Amino acid sequence: MSVFSHFFSPADIISTVEFNHTGELLATGDKGGRVVIFQREPESKNEPYNQGEYNVYSTFQSHEPEFDYLKSLEIEEKINKIKWLPQQNAAHSLLSTNDKTIKLWKITERDKRPEGYNLKDEEGKLKDLSTVTSLQVPVLKPMDLMVEVTPRRIFANGHTYHVNSISVNSDCETYMSADDLRINLWHLAITDRSFNIVDIKPANMEDLTEVITASEFHPHHCNLFVYSSSKGSLRLCDMRASALCDKHSKLYEEPEDPSNRSFFSEIISSVSDVKFSHSGRYMLTRDYLTVKVWDLNMETKPVETYQVHDYLRSKLCSLYENDCIFDKFECAWNGSDSVIMTGAYNNFFRMFDRNTKRDVTLEASRESSKPRAILKPRRVCVGGKRRKDDISVDSLDFMKKILHTAWHPTENIIAIAATNNLYIFQDKVNSEMH
Amino acid sequence: MGEEEGLRQAQLLDTMFVRGLKRKCFDGEEDIEGTLAGFKAIPSYNLQRQSLLDMSLVKLQLCHMLVEPNLCRSVLIANTVRQIQEEMTQDGTWQMINTQNAGHASLDRLVSTDILCRSSREQTEAKHSPGYSTFPKDFEETQSQDSSEIMSAVSSGQAPRNLQSNMWEMESPQENRGNFQKSLDQIFETLENKSPNSVEDLFSEVDSSYYDLDTMLTGMMSNTKMGHCDVLETFPSQTTTNSNSNCKSDLNELDHIVEILVES
């Protein structure tokens, strides 16, 4: 596999990464409330090695920090999620959200400027009308490309708790936003109201034992969506069944393995991310130690389970103490749903081939990747025989976590967010993982 | 030296919690690393479970800072606490610890840490009833004490039956209800969207907790310290001795915040 890496350094910690539907654009959100959009350079025969590189296209401040005076609490400007809308005209649109407010942004290009006005001169000052002797039609002259980003909608005051997910419906008219206890359905054109479709808040907050951790619309069926919980369950809901989807259509839950039971069992079973496959047939979930593939038709257990870093199972108490056990890792499918990817610690990320059952651990770091270098597989040794270049479990850096990863919708290009660095890796030789 | 000890303790705890085995299951378990470690783990299981409980309780407090706490994390920790309590109740160790330590812990150490509860009423109650004590003011301080002392302070001699009952029930303030019950209730109360009925309510909510600066600052500093720990670094029993000196430097920051709040 031949890859090259190219990395950028936004000032702040990247909090979300998302390709658009064609893969031409890649958006990142950061802790400072900024969104940076990268655009893929069109391939050209003149510079074969530069084809397909991503360069900065636009940067804008999406959210600002706020202060909730009523609760005496800060509202972070950190961008939790970005979702692209399917492109319907020349403009691109995306939704970005922080803990409380979702915004719809429109991204347009301007590369022409009208010149030759009748009433204004070149600088824009009004002409003296007595000097105007004839009329002219203004013409469009080319100018340097300017990317303009404007906020088109602001969906505020919909959430009491922290928004963790947004998902655009396949109908391209509605989208949902989920916080810890509720899920709302919005129309993209209407900002002053939303429909509550899931509410798991108990009458008595003292009875609260479970929260919503992630949710997503089905890629093809606009009435179906799934949400995951902190107890490790998935609920598939059908909006045709009832207005309030508190009763799930299907509940996906794997019974606990009694031999592995500990005080941390529930915490590590909490699902941090759920993603439908492109086909819509499967769901991918990530919990603390594994990624699981679920068949929509089978509720009793996942069809595939992959160990991401099982060597951490004996370190759970320490990871609880330093809060790492609460890290929320995301997961991703490749375009053909044959490979799944997720991040881990020490700037490692893992890929699992569902067909060959082979897996690989790779590292995203400046030291180990130079432009056009081949990524070397890494190995974590748990004791016993140790090969050269192996990393021992005890020397893993738990502050270097890869929580956010994204896979190009059709090609083997991946975006990895490692703290405040963005890595983009491309597979040039083969389009299939081998 | 202290770090090494903390490392060993954390590793021991890790070993023991690999499969959350109860004491009686320890015999013949092959995945415990070395019989010596397993042997050591047997008598200290209760102590380590107690440490996990204390750690969890502190985490629940410390998560409340300037930004709203992460609800998912709070719920998971609270569930862990409940799990431990249930197991301790079944074991009978709950009652055992209560009766063993009838002596009262020093109340100087124990200050109402109503960081999460903004009701000045409850604050007053806590100060007025000597038997009614809440969390250790300084977690590191008390960790070095016998952990069973903490348990006695927690229950303050109250009959264990109250603690064994549904821990989510709100009991009247007059009773000496288990403080972590109370604190867990408080946590979820404060996480609700509360709009004060009157201006006085608003200010009474602000007053007490922010003026209990020492407590909160200790908590804040501890949290920062923990957040930067390496995985197998200092177990909470190792005191962060510089935390108190850092406390004072943050007083100004909190004063500033209080100013803003009072003015608004």
Side-chain angles (χ1 to χ4, degrees), chain A residues 125-171:
Chain A
K125 283 187 339 202
L126 285 173
K127 283 185 193 169
D128 180 1
L129 286 178
S130 58
T131 63
V132 178
T133 51
S134 62
L135 288 177
Q136 58 181 348
V137 177
V139 289
L140 291 174
K141 294 264 172 76
M143 60 178 257
D144 288 339
L145 178 68
M146 208 166 72
V147 179
E148 296 176 334
V149 182
T150 48
R152 298 307 298 248
R153 305 268 190 274
I154 296 179
F155 304 91
N157 304 316
H159 290 279
T160 306
Y161 302 98
H162 291 178
V163 175
N164 53 54
S165 320
I166 48 175
S167 177
V168 183
N169 202 341
S170 51
D171 66 9

Side-chain angles (χ1 to χ4, degrees), chain A residues 8-143:
Chain A
F8 306 90
S9 296
D12 253 333
I13 297 169
I14 300 172
S15 48
T16 186
V17 186
E18 189 82 7
F19 281 99
N20 76 337
H21 294 270
T22 61
E24 183 210 350
L25 298 175
L26 173 67
T28 63
D30 68 21
K31 204 157 168 279
R34 278 179 310 247
V35 171
V36 180
I37 303 177
F38 300 89
Q39 185 187 43
R40 194 176 183 195
E41 295 303 318
E43 307 192 356
S44 78
K45 293 203 174 75
N46 298 331
E47 293 177 61
Y49 284 118
N50 276 347
Q51 57 189 317
E53 251 185 39
Y54 284 84
N55 294 316
V56 179
Y57 177 67
S58 173
T59 304
F60 62 96
Q61 187 73 33
S62 170
H63 286 73
E64 299 277 1
E66 289 171 51
F67 195 80
D68 182 341
Y69 288 96
L70 214 57
K71 291 204 248 179
S72 311
L73 293 168
E74 279 182 12
I75 299 172
E76 280 190 306
E77 68 275 28
K78 173 169 71 91
I79 308 295
N80 293 336
K81 281 283 169 358
I82 290 174
K83 284 284 144 81
W84 290 92
L85 267 57
Q87 193 178 8
Q88 286 170 335
N89 49 41
H92 295 275
S93 300
L94 61 77
L95 288 169
S96 66
T97 186
N98 69 347
D99 283 339
K100 298 285 184 184
T101 306
I102 306 122
K103 297 187 183 180
L104 175 65
W105 296 90
K106 189 163 153 188
I107 301 131
T108 49
E109 286 184 4
R110 188 194 289 269
D111 61 356
K112 294 183 188 53
R113 181 181 59 221
E115 278 181 20
Y117 283 104
N118 289 294
L119 297 177
K120 287 189 227 166
D121 66 14
E122 296 300 312
E123 283 97 51
K125 283 187 339 202
L126 285 173
K127 283 185 193 169
D128 180 1
L129 286 178
S130 58
T131 63
V132 178
T133 51
S134 62
L135 288 177
Q136 58 181 348
V137 177
V139 289
L140 291 174
K141 294 264 172 76
M143 60 178 257

